[in-house]
Amino acid sequence: MSKEINALQKIKAATLLSLLFVILFGLLKPTPISSRIKKEEFWANKTHGSQIYNIVFCGDSRLYRGISSSVVSNIFSPQNTQVLNFGYSSGGLSEEMFKRAENKLVNKNEIRAIVLAITPFSL
């Protein structure tokens, strides 16, 4: 009988913790861009903008949704490193993407890298 009560308490505790995590993540998630014009501006600036970066991450939607440029940039904060997430939904790695990524790199002898996020779907 005590094993059944103990198991029931564990199930209740796990359910409560799961519910709290869902609520917490719901409150902390970033607000998506709601304006269609702002979304189009975001993608246009990302693809065709003239800003240059020290580190460019290339890949598909797994990269696009999984890497935060600001978090990576903060890791290098004393060096003022600029980071670009150059990932696209359904974007494969191609010669065109490599050329565009290279054009977004700084030309100086600073930190300078292209990071490829290779997944089976991006090949």
Side-chain angles (χ1 to χ4, degrees):
M1 181 82 171
S2 67
K3 285 186 178 182
E4 290 176 8
I5 293 172
N6 196 13
L8 188 58
Q9 288 175 339
K10 288 180 182 180
I11 291 171
K12 287 180 182 178
T15 303
L16 181 62
L17 279 174
S18 298
L19 183 62
L20 288 174
F21 279 126
V22 168
I23 292 170
L24 180 66
F25 287 132
L27 294 173
L28 296 177
K29 72 178 182 183
T31 307
I33 301 170
S34 60
S35 165
R36 182 173 182 222
I37 293 172
K38 289 199 181 261
K39 285 180 187 177
E40 290 176 8
E41 181 182 10
F42 166 80
W43 289 106
N45 284 335
K46 177 178 180 171
T47 306
H48 304 291
S50 61
Q51 184 175 352
I52 56 174
Y53 302 86
N54 301 94
I55 301 172
V56 177
F57 285 87
C58 291
D60 59 13
S61 61
R62 287 148 195 85
L63 167 83
Y64 163 59
R65 298 174 193 275
I67 298 289
S68 169
S69 301
S70 59
V71 170
V72 176
S73 184
N74 287 339
I75 292 171
F76 294 97
S77 61
Q79 291 114 347
N80 195 22
T81 302
Q82 299 297 314
V83 179
L84 173 64
N85 179 328
F86 204 54
Y88 293 88
S89 294
S90 301
L93 298 174
S94 65
E95 186 176 348
E96 178 69 22
M97 181 178 256
F98 298 147
K99 287 179 184 176
R100 288 185 181 263
E102 186 177 19
N103 289 337
K104 297 213 173 267
L105 283 176
V106 294
N107 292 323
K108 304 172 188 168
N109 290 329
E110 301 175 28
I111 294 174
R112 188 173 182 230
I114 294 178
V115 180
L116 301 177
I118 300 174
T119 65
F121 299 106
S122 65
L123 294 174

